[in-house]
Amino acid sequence: MTKSFRTLDDIDMKGKRVLLRVDLNVPMENGRVTDATRLERVAPTITEISDKGGKVILLAHFGRPKGRDPKESLKPVAEALSRVIKRPVAFADDCIGDAAAKAVAALKDGDILCLENTRFHKEEEKNDAGFVAELAKLGDIWVNDAFSAAHRAHASTEGLGHKLPAYAGRTMQAELDALGKALEAPTKPVIAIIGGAKVSTKIDLLENLVTKVDALVIGGGMANTFLHAQGVAIGKSLAEKDLAATALKILDKANASNCAIILPVDAVVASQFSANAPSHAYGLDAIPADGMILDVGPQSIARIHAAIDDAATLVWNGPLGAFELTPFDRGTVVSAKHAAERTKAKELISVAGGGDTVAALNQAGVAGDFSYVSTAGGAFLEWMEGKPLPGVEVLKKG
């Protein structure tokens, strides 16, 4: 898929000022980074540009500041990044103007500089032409390595691609390759596992997927809405009952597209939403009126495993049950382990993404065994919905 994109392979970087958009929006506590995954993801692109003699100028946002706010400064993140890549990372306390220009002018080939939070300027999110021009003055080339922000048409994520030669970084390249293999030119048959609490947040996603995949597993609280729409008594389970008609429309569309829908046939039910609450597996015809469905049951798990066994490609977004509470994480964990085994045996291409999904795969201990795990949230979902992503479109070869 990346053949239609310019990548680092297409650049002679020596002596060039490379504006590199990265995702440094990491979790912090008391001024310290608590999860360096995103820093580790961008390290290869940073070090490659540096090793090839490029001057690396990092652009990133952090949090949602309303103007300049020391609590949202990237300075401590730049220090953490320096420890991850084991190289010095200089810091400029603005991303435009004299402070930025002086810091860039001081760079030698291979040096690395992090500019202050782009969102300290309201013009960043407005993709303001004047702000884009100010950023562009600092670089000769723009490299986008922040797929997670590619669904935003902001100055540093999209605008620069119209002012400077634009390339995909290694993280972006890996993401686009993985996503291309998953849905755009997949090895068939393709199965999608979609979970999570609400149908309302994933209507576009489901409507797109039923036209693209051979089978669609629906789990989590979302599945309850579908079961309710089909007349199943779901007790006190979480469901969006007002979306019953929408659920039925999605089922009709799946039928017309020859996409098999796999809904739970049994469920693990408890009377309260808490860890280790007494629970029992019931068939769908026997769910107690005061019970809550908190996970898929053993027969449903067997059906999901059979669907995974039949597939050549798997796309996964969202847990199958209340995975944050034991023992209601079982359906998600054992299904993830099953998919990981098939992947390790080279019988499955598995691509997963979304915050809860990554957390669930880490909990199952198998995130490293999937073909690709995307750390992007909104961008991964919008891509699965079939929407063009501004930060990706601007990288395409004209």
Side-chain angles (χ1 to χ4, degrees):
M1 179 178 165
T2 44
K3 302 238 179 346
S4 60
F5 299 85
R6 290 174 293 267
T7 70
L8 297 190
D9 299 322
D10 303 314
I11 320 174
D12 175 12
M13 298 175 225
K14 187 159 178 53
K16 297 273 188 6
R17 299 171 303 160
V18 182
L19 285 174
L20 174 58
R21 181 52 160 98
V22 286
D23 183 355
L24 302 182
N25 198 22
V26 291
M28 300 275 287
E29 222 168 82
N30 303 321
R32 294 187 67 80
V33 173
T34 55
D35 181 351
T37 305
R38 284 181 165 169
L39 306 185
E40 290 156 7
R41 281 277 172 108
V42 297
T45 300
I46 295 170
T47 53
E48 181 177 345
I49 295 170
S50 171
D51 289 344
K52 289 180 176 174
K55 299 171 181 180
V56 186
I57 303 156
L58 302 175
L59 292 170
H61 74 276
F62 183 72
R64 296 181 179 276
K66 299 280 182 274
R68 185 172 279 275
D69 181 348
K71 292 197 294 295
E72 308 274 15
S73 173
L74 276 172
K75 192 168 189 190
V77 184
E79 290 163 3
L81 177 65
S82 175
R83 290 192 290 274
V84 168
I85 63 174
K86 299 183 172 56
R87 301 181 189 202
V89 176
F91 186 76
D93 66 6
D94 205 345
C95 61
I96 56 170
D98 286 347
K102 281 179 184 159
V104 169
L107 293 176
K108 297 190 287 294
D109 293 1
D111 283 357
I112 301 162
L113 167 70
C114 180
L115 301 181
E116 184 57 284
N117 194 339
T118 56
R119 286 192 184 172
F120 279 0
H121 298 268
K122 62 181 185 300
E123 294 84 357
E124 156 76 347
E125 292 182 75
K126 292 177 178 168
N127 206 354
D128 176 82
F131 183 67
V132 172
E134 285 296 307
L135 290 173
K137 280 183 198 168
L138 303 171
D140 305 305
I141 292 166
W142 176 65
V143 175
N144 192 356
D145 211 28
F147 177 81
S148 51
H151 57 314
R152 310 271 186 225
H154 292 172
S156 68
T157 63
E158 194 266 352
L160 280 170
H162 299 287
K163 295 284 283 184
L164 295 173
Y167 301 86
R170 294 303 184 203
T171 309
M172 176 74 83
Q173 182 181 350
E175 191 100 29
L176 296 175
D177 278 342
L179 301 186
K181 284 177 189 159
L183 277 191
E184 281 160 37
T187 307
K188 288 181 161 278
V190 185
I191 175 182
I193 296 177
I194 304 298
K198 294 182 172 181
V199 174
S200 53
T201 58
K202 295 188 178 176
I203 292 170
D204 291 348
L205 170 63
L206 296 169
E207 290 196 335
N208 183 48
L209 284 179
V210 295
T211 65
K212 294 262 184 91
V213 303
D214 300 289
L216 174 61
V217 174
I218 300 175
M222 292 171 56
N224 301 338
T225 300
F226 281 85
L227 296 174
H228 165 73
Q230 292 179 316
V232 175
I234 57 170
K236 290 184 177 171
S237 306
L238 173 75
E240 293 172 292
K241 294 183 176 176
D242 56 325
L243 289 181
T246 302
L248 293 175
K249 190 177 93 182
I250 291 166
L251 294 176
D252 286 343
K253 189 170 181 180
N255 192 38
S257 303
N258 213 16
C259 168
I261 297 283
I262 299 168
L263 283 162
V265 290
D266 61 346
V268 176
V269 178
S271 58
Q272 62 197 65
F273 186 79
S274 60
N276 303 310
S279 60
H280 191 273
Y282 292 93
L284 295 183
D285 57 348
I287 291 168
D290 64 346
M292 278 183 278
I293 297 172
L294 296 181
D295 198 10
V296 288
Q299 292 172 17
S300 302
I301 292 171
R303 290 187 76 202
I304 293 166
H305 287 192
I308 292 170
D309 290 344
D310 286 342
T313 301
L314 164 67
V315 184
W316 189 326
N317 174 259
L320 295 169
F323 83 101
E324 66 277 20
L325 304 174
T326 52
F328 309 111
D329 58 346
R330 185 171 183 274
T332 303
V333 167
V334 298
S335 298
K337 286 182 174 174
H338 190 75
E341 289 302 321
R342 297 276 300 166
T343 306
K344 283 196 286 187
K346 306 223 174 336
E347 291 165 338
L348 185 70
I349 294 164
S350 51
V351 175
D356 280 353
T357 315
V358 176
L361 296 185
N362 283 331
Q363 195 166 309
V366 297
D369 296 326
F370 271 54
S371 307
Y372 193 79
V373 177
S374 172
T375 55
F380 183 79
L381 266 181
E382 288 197 22
W383 168 79
M384 285 181 78
E385 290 166 4
K387 294 175 179 169
L389 306 180
V392 171
E393 293 298 305
V394 76
L395 297 174
K396 289 186 175 173
K397 290 178 181 172

